[in-house]
Amino acid sequence: MEINPAIVESSVVLAVVLCVHMVVWNQHSWCSIALIIQAFYVQHKWDRLLKSGGAVFQFRPSANSGIVPASMVMPLLGLALKEKCSASGNVYFERFSMVITITGMMLALFLSLIALGITRPLPTNTCIIAGMAASAILYTTKQTLTVSEVIEVLEVLLIFVYLSLIVLYLMPRCFTPGEALLIVGGISFIVNQLIKRSLNLTEIKGDPVNYLLPVVVLGSLLLGMIFALLFCFMESETWVSSLFFHIMTAVLGMGILLPWLALFIGRHPIMWLLDFLTLNDKRLCLLGYWILLAAVATCVVLHQNYQRQSGSKKHQASTVVRKYFHLIVVATYVPGLIYDRQLLHVASVGCLAVFLFLEYVRYFRIRPLGQLLRQLLTLFLDERDSGPLILTHLYLLMGMSLPVWLFPGPCAPKGILPGAGGLVPYAGVLAVGVGDTVASVFGSTMGEIQWPGTKKTMEGTATSVFAQIIAVALFLIFDGNINLNSTYSWIVGSITLVAMLEAYTSQIDNLLLPLYLFILLLL
């Protein structure tokens, strides 16, 4: 009997939901169980729509809809953050975590509503289940959120509706429905928070580092939307268009984003950045080390392209070669996590801005680098890069950085979480840098026994779990701030669950795995 990978994937996600429910055990955790049940039924409808070509937009082929794993990320993240903030007595962030939970549930319900609305004939049983889950979630929202918080949730939902229409129209075949929910939903939440804080400058508080990511996300979003629409009416490959692109990018950055950022941090951003980077010799050494690793990564790209030119034109980088970049990223992030997490936060946001800008240059063929970037990066394409954008390197960066960006600093005394929470910033390194790399390399070279219903191997999964356990032991040796107490069994169980998710998911594992490991370790 052939096993459906989507069912096993949903079962793993259900196990994670039950783990969160056992720890949190409140109205919202019960709603998360109702949400995953309705998401399981709706995912079947989405999968059928994708196979029949009736899904309105063009989604990424060779993957299921991914509704179940994507629908649960924001609700579970909010639940885990609420538990930590409640334990630390931070009421403000406890309420903020509740908003994250309800927002994630509302976005998932909206995507379910779309699937049910365009499915013919109308799936009566699924509509009943979705209606019951929606009723429970709406009742809980009314009982637990204030009017202003409900309005905030509706604002995010409104931004999500319009933004998803634009993104899915301009970037066909780049996302599955679940990936679109996760990425566009996250961007919508960030944009709404930035607008909210801009309208309440008197209430601004917190670390200036935390305002860099929202400004970069909004600036990159505006830049992409403006030129995607503009280049529909003019040729983008000419020198005149390229010059206009660079000028408008400078105007957007220097004339809008920097002054906007200055409102949040209270001084000129460039002067603040220079003072931040040169605060001590340790930061200068880390920056020099990272520049060296960036040069090594560039040499790998150039060397692989030289081999293609001197050999077969059909030459593509192997799985092992692509995992070189995972190792380079691990070598980048581990020293930053041990010695200076704030610098790592700022550097990763800056790297995201550079990657997004270079992708725009490649996609629009902006001179002088556009065509060159197309030639260099084509070598590293895989089946997930089926749309007009190349997003694999962005997903790798985000997967490693999300645990750093999402770390609940205000709810962690002295910036350190007890028990398994001490490994929370390392979730990206463990799940993607170590686990996914080892699973791919060992599975593709030595794996023989395949998991039922998938091409992934049991040997790859087993070595992935062992490698992550060894990595945890090394982190304990080199990072004196980690104190696991008696949480070893929880850590091993969390790593195993995420490894099973990696074996069966067809979604972007670089993005999904760190988030689920982050949630489990946060508990």
Side-chain angles (χ1 to χ4, degrees):
M1 180 180 177
E2 186 175 352
I3 295 178
N4 186 351
I7 294 179
V8 182
E9 176 190 53
S10 301
S11 301
V12 175
V13 176
L14 177 61
V16 176
V17 173
L18 293 176
C19 289
V20 175
H21 179 61
M22 286 189 299
V23 174
V24 178
W25 197 276
N26 59 20
Q27 286 177 283
H28 294 117
S29 67
W30 282 106
C31 287
S32 68
I33 294 177
L35 183 68
I36 191 174
I37 293 173
Q38 73 87 31
F40 177 78
Y41 279 88
V42 171
Q43 176 167 286
H44 174 69
K45 307 306 175 188
W46 264 114
D47 291 342
R48 193 168 69 181
L49 286 169
L50 293 178
K51 291 179 181 178
S52 64
V56 182
F57 293 104
Q58 297 182 58
F59 292 99
R60 184 165 66 87
S62 68
N64 63 35
S65 59
I67 295 298
V68 171
S71 295
M72 302 313 301
V73 169
M74 279 187 70
L76 295 181
L77 178 62
L79 287 171
L81 289 172
K82 181 182 181 296
E83 187 69 14
K84 282 299 175 188
C85 294
S86 176
S88 66
N90 193 320
V91 178
Y92 174 81
F93 279 95
E94 185 180 351
R95 302 295 306 180
F96 181 71
S97 301
M98 290 170 60
V99 172
I100 294 176
T101 299
I102 296 298
T103 301
M105 291 181 178
M106 291 299 180
L107 293 177
L109 288 175
F110 175 76
L111 205 63
S112 300
L113 183 64
I114 292 177
L116 297 177
I118 60 179
T119 300
R120 293 293 180 271
L122 190 68
T124 307
N125 293 337
T126 305
C127 287
I128 293 173
I129 293 171
M132 292 172 63
S135 299
I137 292 170
L138 289 172
Y139 177 77
T140 303
T141 302
K142 178 180 178 296
Q143 294 293 111
T144 56
L145 296 190
T146 63
V147 174
S148 61
E149 290 168 342
V150 172
I151 292 174
E152 189 173 343
V153 172
L154 294 177
E155 289 169 350
V156 176
L157 186 58
L158 184 64
I159 295 172
F160 174 80
V161 171
Y162 287 104
L163 193 58
S164 58
L165 291 175
I166 295 171
V167 169
L168 293 176
Y169 175 76
L170 294 177
M171 294 185 285
R173 304 181 308 281
C174 287
F175 311 104
T176 64
E179 291 162 4
L181 170 64
L182 192 58
I183 295 170
V184 180
I187 293 174
S188 302
F189 191 85
I190 290 174
V191 170
N192 185 66
Q193 287 299 313
L194 185 62
I195 295 172
K196 177 185 173 183
R197 281 162 172 71
S198 301
L199 297 176
N200 296 278
L201 292 175
T202 56
E203 299 180 6
I204 287 179
K205 55 183 178 180
D207 194 335
V209 170
N210 296 327
Y211 295 107
L212 293 177
L213 180 62
V215 172
V216 166
V217 168
L218 182 60
S220 303
L221 182 66
L222 291 175
L223 185 68
M225 290 172 56
I226 290 171
F227 283 101
L229 295 174
L230 183 64
F231 288 145
C232 288
F233 305 100
M234 60 184 294
E235 182 62 46
S236 64
E237 299 178 44
T238 65
W239 276 107
V240 174
S241 298
S242 300
L243 182 62
F244 180 68
F245 173 86
H246 292 301
I247 292 174
M248 288 302 297
T249 302
V251 169
L252 178 65
M254 303 295 291
I256 298 177
L257 299 183
L258 286 184
W260 200 346
L261 188 56
L263 293 175
F264 294 116
I265 65 178
R267 57 180 299 196
H268 196 284
I270 295 179
M271 299 306 299
W272 172 84
L273 183 61
L274 290 175
D275 291 341
F276 179 85
L277 296 178
T278 58
L279 183 64
N280 52 48
D281 292 338
K282 186 188 295 183
R283 288 189 173 178
L284 293 176
C285 291
L286 276 173
L287 288 172
Y289 170 68
W290 289 340
I291 291 172
L292 176 62
L293 289 177
V296 171
T298 304
C299 290
V300 171
V301 173
L302 295 176
H303 175 68
Q304 290 297 316
N305 276 272
Y306 173 77
Q307 285 189 327
R308 178 176 63 174
Q309 291 173 0
S310 60
S312 171
K313 293 294 183 180
K314 296 182 179 180
H315 173 70
Q316 284 292 116
S318 65
T319 300
V320 175
V321 170
R322 283 199 292 268
K323 297 307 174 183
Y324 287 164
F325 296 101
H326 286 234
L327 297 177
I328 292 173
V329 173
V330 169
T332 302
Y333 273 72
V334 171
L337 289 168
I338 294 175
Y339 296 112
D340 199 331
R341 292 178 186 176
Q342 274 203 323
L343 179 63
L344 181 63
H345 187 130
V346 172
S348 58
V349 172
C351 194
L352 176 66
V354 172
F355 276 15
L356 287 171
F357 175 76
L358 291 178
E359 180 56 24
Y360 288 147
V361 169
R362 185 206 66 84
Y363 174 65
F364 294 125
R365 295 186 175 91
I366 302 298
R367 297 190 179 193
L369 296 177
Q371 194 58 40
L372 176 63
L373 288 172
R374 279 180 174 261
Q375 295 172 358
L376 292 177
L377 296 180
T378 301
L379 176 66
F380 300 94
L381 295 178
D382 60 15
E383 69 277 0
R384 294 175 297 184
D385 292 311
S386 54
L389 297 182
I390 299 177
L391 300 172
T392 306
H393 58 298
L394 285 168
Y395 289 140
L396 176 59
L397 173 65
M398 291 171 63
M400 300 289 286
S401 303
L402 279 171
V404 179
W405 296 341
L406 295 173
F407 183 79
C411 303
K414 299 180 181 180
I416 303 168
L417 292 173
L423 291 171
V424 161
Y426 291 90
V429 174
L430 288 171
V432 175
V434 177
D436 183 51
T437 302
V438 171
S440 297
V441 172
F442 278 83
S444 61
T445 56
M446 295 186 296
E448 294 182 0
I449 306 173
Q450 293 184 338
W451 287 106
T454 179
K455 296 180 180 179
K456 304 292 179 66
T457 64
M458 294 184 182
E459 293 90 342
T461 302
T463 52
S464 167
V465 173
F466 288 134
Q468 290 180 75
I469 293 173
I470 293 171
V472 169
L474 293 174
F475 296 154
L476 277 171
I477 295 172
F478 291 102
D479 191 344
N481 293 323
I482 300 176
N483 182 16
L484 299 183
N485 299 326
S486 57
T487 57
Y488 297 101
S489 58
W490 181 269
I491 293 170
V492 173
S494 301
I495 288 173
T496 304
L497 271 179
V498 173
M500 287 301 300
L501 183 61
E502 187 274 337
Y504 276 96
T505 188
S506 61
Q507 306 304 296
I508 300 295
D509 49 6
N510 287 351
L511 199 60
L512 206 60
L513 303 184
L515 289 170
Y516 273 98
L517 187 58
F518 178 91
I519 291 166
L520 288 169
L521 294 177
L522 196 58
L523 296 173

